[in-house]
Structure formats: C-alpha cells, structure tokens
Amino acid sequence: MPIATQIQSSDMPRALPRANDGRQCPVCADTFIAAEGSTLEADGHVCYLWSCETCGYGFVTRHDIKRYACN
C-alpha cells in the first residue's frame, strides 16, 4: 500500500505579528520575550513588570480586564 506524504517548504510565510509582538526596550531597543512578573489588582487591572536583560531598564504596564456578564 503506497503512503502519500506531504512535504512543506521551510520558506513558509510568517503570519502577521500580533499587537504585542516585538515589545522593545525604550533605552537599548532589545526585544522582550515575556514579562518578568504580573499581578492582578483588586480593581480589575493586570500589571506586568518588564525588565531588560541587556541594559537593566525596567517598567510596568497596566491593562484593564473587561468583565462580561452572562445572561
């Protein structure tokens, strides 16, 4: 019984980047992969701690989580 195989090219186009892809350090322009830490605040915000491994610069981003009500 013959086996059919499909070989995919390694030159496949990359999907469009997401909104948070490519976050860069504002000081040295090194790329961040993931936040160093995160916290969930009582008011429904999530804070992320970012720190650059290259230059040591650190900052915090704060994001609002939308709450959805079920009917």
Side-chain angles (χ1 to χ4, degrees):
M1 176 190 299
I3 299 175
T5 56
Q6 181 179 5
I7 300 173
Q8 295 182 349
S9 170
S10 61
D11 299 335
M12 295 185 70
R14 185 174 176 200
L16 294 174
R18 290 183 247 170
N20 62 352
D21 278 354
R23 183 175 296 272
Q24 292 183 335
C25 176
V27 175
C28 70
D30 193 14
T31 303
F32 294 117
I33 302 300
E36 187 173 323
S38 63
T39 60
L40 176 61
E41 297 180 344
D43 62 355
H45 288 90
V46 176
C47 294
Y48 296 100
L49 171 63
W50 300 89
S51 67
C52 182
E53 293 179 0
T54 304
C55 70
Y57 180 77
F59 61 96
V60 175
T61 57
R62 189 172 189 235
H63 304 276
D64 185 27
I65 297 178
K66 305 228 183 263
R67 298 182 187 243
Y68 296 98
C70 297
N71 292 336

